[in-house]
Amino acid sequence: MGKTCIIEVEGLHTRFGSHVVHRDISLCVRPGEVLALVGGSGSGKTVLMRQMLGLETPAAGSIRVFGESLHGHDREALQSLRNRWGVLFQKGALFSALSVYDNIALPMRELRTLSEGMIRDLVMLKLKMVDIGAEHAAKMPAELSGGMIKRIALARAMALDPELLFLDEPTAGLDPQLGEAFVKLIHAMRTELTLTIVMATHDLDTLVALSDRVAVLAEQRIVALGSLQEVAGMEHPFIASFFRGERGQKALGNTLS
Amino acid sequence: MMQKNQHDSSATLHRSIGEEGFPLLELGGRYTLAAMGRRLHALPAELARHAAEPGLRWDLRGIEQMDDAGAILLWRAWGSRRPDHLLLRPEQERLFSRMEAAPAPPAAVPRDAWWPMMMLGRGILLLWEHLVALVALIGQMLLDVRYLATHPARLPWREISANLYRTGAQALGITALVGFLIGVVLSFLSSRQLQTFGADIFIINILGISIIRELGPMLAAILVAGRSGSSMTAQLGVMRVTEELDALTVLGISHSQRLILPKVLALGMAMPLVVLWTSAVALLGGMIVAEIQLGLNHRFFLDKLPDVVPIANLWLGLGKGMVCGMVIALISCHFGLRIKSNTESLGAGTTNSVVTAITVVIIIDAIFAVVFSNVGLT
Ligand SMILES: Nc1ncnc2c1ncn2[C@@H]1O[C@H](COP(=O)(O)OP(=O)(O)OP(=O)(O)O)[C@@H](O)[C@H]1O
Ligand SMILES: [Mg+2]
């Protein structure tokens, strides 16, 4: 596969009014890797991800996903592209008017190729995958706990078994055991399918367990990009406090030495 | 490269006779949702046909990629159990063992034969519930007023003035436009009729009484119910969805005092003024048409108006406006507080609120008409 990129970001600038969030960012997400975006709160991880999804338009620069520009006008192409990715939003973004079951079934129904019986089996399988019991299937999002919302949103993101998965803070709000289960789940999925993941996270344990490469966002740029070992050793105030602070050392301890 | 292969390496089936003479079915290609695409319509039947054959050996080891959808497709074809002879790779083994552990979907609830009765009963109970909650809200409001009377420093002045501006000042444009047009139309139609009887002069009576007593207040109330009523309901509803109401509660700030009372008071104050304004603009429209159509001088019109329209009509109109204003605010807040935290309920609640408010405004008008039937009419 060599140098092909699943996502290709070039010369990206982002501004909100006079507030500059990104200044000349370039990035290539390779097939089958897990790329973690880290950075302080407000450093623009979510915004970068939203731009990769075409939800926001950068002030300058281009983004191509699966080799397609997101601002092209070919509806068919954009739709088939959207069926190949799954997104977990930071706050879940479940459809509040739909039950848990219907939330997960929605992307499958939109395909219009699956029979209702098959959808039912698939939904139950996805629910099982994120460890949600069948008794919760009929509940509405407002009746769920924060962690459950996260897991169901993940199940919806995985509904079409996407090749590319965007995860915004996947383990925030989960208890440590569920966090670990989540990591295992992703590992298992990666053995069965070629899955490329872009994930923004603050959670060092998840980062250590999952990421192949890490991109550090600070000062409006990507200040470091590379494997965890390479990045953690670099000289930068944010990296020093994030990876080599007390918590960082604990989580990284065995990986680095 | 991944993209290219997607379609030509879609799911394949190859039926042959194996080494020991057993029938063998080799599956290959990609059994993934994306790769199968349109073939999903035909594949289930094809697989089911093979599954019906006894003693068939299924060899899945040649499958390049299989996702949950592919696994379920096979699983359903097999009748939710493994076939007797199955050859798998370890990661496929994992997929199917997950399938075995998947919980059964919840059974659909059968429809009750008594549903029309149930619906009716529910409707009546719901109406009762609304009434009780409305009475409770009014009671709470009175308690708040009593509390604030003894603690005047706690009166939410800022909220009242903000609401006064939003519901009153900002409504002036639309009420003026609608009032003016209605005045013009009413005057035009009436003057044509009066001309045929040579009773031109009575245009002043007709416009004066109908606009000041009836049309002005009703137009203003209906417009305000649609405009401010919906925004009040939606505001409270969104605050429920985003848990802002809960945040207020835990801060010890009473919803009724901070959110509802200011709206009720502000609309009670703003509505008479909006009514006055609407009536005035409608009369202006009527007067202009009367001058053009009947040659009735506007000086004469204005001089004559107080003589033919007793002042009681004005007070009646303003009183109606105040009552309608407070009721609209109460109903909107009542529906706003009942909204559940989902978008569907937000939409339904806003609709119900506006429809109810407008209906109640018209009922109030009818009650006023009956109670004050011998006031202000000569
Ligand atoms: N719609 C918007 N309008 C204006 N500014 C915005 C908007 N969205 C984001 N920002 C700003 O962009 C910056 C980056 O926000 P972003 O949400 O990407 O942060 P983040 O890195 O995801 O932080 P966190 O880790 O807290 O989630 C912030 O300073 C934020 O205020
Ligand atoms: Mg974020």
Side-chain angles (χ1 to χ4, degrees):
Chain A
M1 308 232 168
K3 279 208 65 72
T4 54
C5 301
I6 292 271
I7 305 177
E8 200 176 357
V9 179
E10 261 176 22
L12 178 91
H13 287 257
T14 314
R15 254 193 317 271
F16 290 109
S18 60
H19 174 51
V20 177
V21 181
H22 301 131
R23 208 188 294 273
D24 195 19
I25 285 190
S26 297
L27 185 65
C28 167
V29 182
R30 299 179 195 144
E33 75 168 348
V34 178
L35 177 77
L37 297 171
V38 301
S41 185
S43 57
K45 305 181 291 293
T46 301
V47 172
L48 181 60
M49 221 180 253
R50 287 173 62 83
Q51 286 171 334
M52 291 175 175
L53 292 166
L55 294 173
E56 252 156 77
T57 318
S62 73
I63 297 182
R64 303 177 83 74
V65 180
F66 295 120
E68 301 240 19
S69 164
L70 291 171
H71 298 283
H73 298 287
D74 186 353
R75 274 187 58 149
E76 290 275 303
L78 275 182
Q79 188 53 50
S80 70
L81 184 152
R82 292 198 171 119
N83 288 341
R84 292 166 70 189
W85 74 31
V87 186
L88 171 67
F89 285 93
Q90 194 164 0
K91 292 174 196 151
L94 293 182
F95 301 113
S96 61
L98 299 182
S99 67
V100 167
Y101 179 92
D102 290 328
N103 257 288
I104 304 175
L106 180 82
M108 304 174 185
R109 292 196 177 125
E110 281 303 300
L111 280 183
R112 304 193 191 281
T113 47
L114 293 172
S115 70
E116 202 53 38
M118 204 169 151
I119 289 179
R120 195 165 55 235
D121 287 356
L122 263 174
V123 170
M124 295 326 283
L125 196 63
K126 300 290 171 192
L127 281 179
K128 173 84 176 65
M129 178 183 87
V130 293
D131 206 12
I132 298 273
E135 70 274 18
H136 300 300
K139 286 193 177 159
M140 301 302 280
E143 302 165 71
L144 302 172
S145 76
M148 284 165 81
I149 290 180
K150 229 351 147 358
R151 283 181 282 154
I152 291 161
L154 178 68
R156 187 182 68 184
M158 296 299 305
L160 300 183
D161 287 303
E163 297 160 49
L164 172 62
L165 199 55
F166 291 91
L167 307 171
D168 199 350
E169 305 284 359
T171 47
L174 297 185
D175 69 40
Q177 270 150 6
L178 281 175
E180 259 168 52
F182 171 82
V183 169
K184 283 217 188 83
L185 178 69
I186 298 281
H187 271 308
M189 286 190 306
R190 290 184 69 199
T191 58
E192 287 155 25
L193 299 162
T194 7
L195 189 59
T196 310
I197 299 180
V198 178
M199 129 179 119
T201 185
H202 289 291
D203 180 17
L204 279 156
D205 295 323
T206 319
L207 201 69
V208 173
L210 280 182
S211 60
D212 298 320
R213 286 199 306 158
V214 179
V216 182
L217 276 169
E219 302 156 11
Q220 293 116 36
R221 301 179 294 119
I222 293 185
V223 292
L225 175 63
S227 73
L228 192 59
Q229 280 88 338
E230 290 163 16
V231 167
M234 287 187 192
E235 278 317 315
H236 187 277
F238 174 78
I239 295 176
S241 72
F242 188 75
F243 292 103
R244 300 202 290 277
E246 205 176 314
R247 267 167 25 84
Q249 295 221 319
K250 225 182 273 167
L252 290 180
N254 9 13
T255 350
L256 286 190
S257 53
Chain B
M1 164 199 138
M2 296 173 62
Q3 254 166 302
K4 286 240 180 60
N5 281 353
Q6 210 168 71
H7 293 289
D8 30 54
S9 72
S10 169
T12 59
L13 295 161
H14 181 68
R15 171 80 161 69
S16 62
I17 301 296
E19 280 156 24
E20 302 109 33
F22 291 111
L24 179 71
L25 187 68
E26 284 168 301
L27 277 59
R30 293 160 52 101
Y31 277 74
T32 62
L33 203 49
M36 289 184 290
R38 298 258 147 237
R39 288 196 59 204
L40 271 170
H41 291 303
L43 264 178
E46 204 175 332
L47 286 169
R49 214 180 53 238
H50 288 295
E53 183 180 339
L56 182 70
R57 312 215 143 176
W58 292 75
D59 185 356
L60 272 55
R61 288 171 304 184
I63 294 181
E64 276 172 48
Q65 274 197 325
M66 178 161 64
D67 63 7
D68 287 346
I72 282 195
L73 195 71
L74 290 169
W75 190 249
R76 287 176 65 84
W78 296 335
S80 300
R81 55 173 197 86
R82 288 170 195 242
D84 300 332
H85 311 282
L86 179 63
L87 299 164
L88 291 175
R89 284 209 310 265
E91 68 264 23
Q92 295 169 341
E93 171 64 40
R94 237 187 341 257
L95 264 178
F96 287 108
S97 57
R98 268 225 316 268
M99 208 85 53
E100 278 159 338
V109 187
R111 198 164 188 188
D112 194 346
W114 288 96
W115 67 270
M117 291 287 266
M118 301 290 272
M119 288 250 292
L120 186 69
R122 271 200 210 107
I124 292 171
L125 285 180
L126 187 68
L127 190 68
W128 177 247
E129 209 184 300
H130 275 293
L131 279 177
V132 171
L134 254 175
V135 170
L137 192 63
I138 294 173
Q140 180 64 45
M141 211 92 315
L142 293 176
L143 289 179
D144 286 340
V145 170
R146 201 182 67 179
Y147 172 81
L148 290 173
T150 52
H151 303 77
R154 292 196 149 258
L155 257 174
W157 286 116
R158 287 173 60 90
E159 282 84 359
I160 293 181
S161 106
N163 276 301
L164 209 52
Y165 176 72
R166 267 203 302 268
T167 57
Q170 290 190 337
L172 293 184
I174 181 71
T175 48
L177 178 70
V178 173
F180 185 82
L181 291 178
I182 294 282
V184 165
V185 171
L186 185 65
S187 178
F188 180 72
L189 292 179
S190 315
S191 58
R192 293 289 288 271
Q193 302 299 314
L194 291 173
Q195 256 177 333
T196 57
F197 297 111
D200 300 14
I201 192 84
F202 285 106
I203 188 75
I204 306 178
N205 302 43
I206 291 180
L207 289 182
I209 297 277
S210 62
I211 288 177
I212 293 174
R213 188 182 172 105
E214 196 60 41
L215 283 177
M218 276 306 98
L219 281 179
I222 290 172
L223 284 174
V224 166
R227 205 183 154 275
S228 309
S230 58
S231 90
M232 286 177 184
T233 308
Q235 188 201 359
L236 289 180
V238 171
M239 289 180 81
R240 165 79 68 211
V241 176
T242 54
E243 297 186 333
E244 286 170 59
L245 289 181
D246 301 336
L248 279 178
T249 307
V250 297
L251 287 174
I253 298 172
S254 136
H255 300 168
S256 63
Q257 241 179 64
R258 195 59 67 89
L259 295 173
I260 302 174
L261 190 67
K263 291 187 170 54
V264 175
L265 289 183
L267 207 52
M269 282 189 257
M271 265 299 285
L273 301 173
V274 175
V275 166
L276 195 65
W277 163 259
T278 314
S279 301
V281 178
L283 277 177
L284 177 74
M287 192 171 73
I288 291 173
V289 171
E291 183 152 7
I292 296 169
Q293 192 80 13
L294 302 173
L296 209 63
N297 187 280
H298 60 272
R299 283 257 175 73
F300 178 72
F301 190 103
L302 290 176
D303 278 345
K304 201 88 174 90
L305 192 61
D307 300 339
V308 298
V309 183
I311 192 74
N313 286 298
L314 182 64
W315 297 126
L316 207 57
L318 297 186
K320 242 194 279 195
M322 193 174 80
V323 173
C324 285
M326 293 172 77
V327 169
I328 289 170
L330 265 176
I331 288 178
S332 311
C333 293
H334 163 72
F335 276 98
L337 289 179
R338 283 178 58 90
I339 286 173
K340 310 231 168 48
S341 11
N342 69 68
T343 48
E344 189 107 342
S345 152
L346 184 62
T350 313
T351 309
N352 288 341
S353 150
V354 173
V355 170
T356 312
I358 291 179
T359 314
V360 170
V361 158
I362 289 172
I363 293 175
I364 290 176
D365 184 52
I367 294 175
F368 264 74
V370 172
V371 173
F372 296 98
S373 58
N374 43 18
V375 176
L377 294 172
T378 44

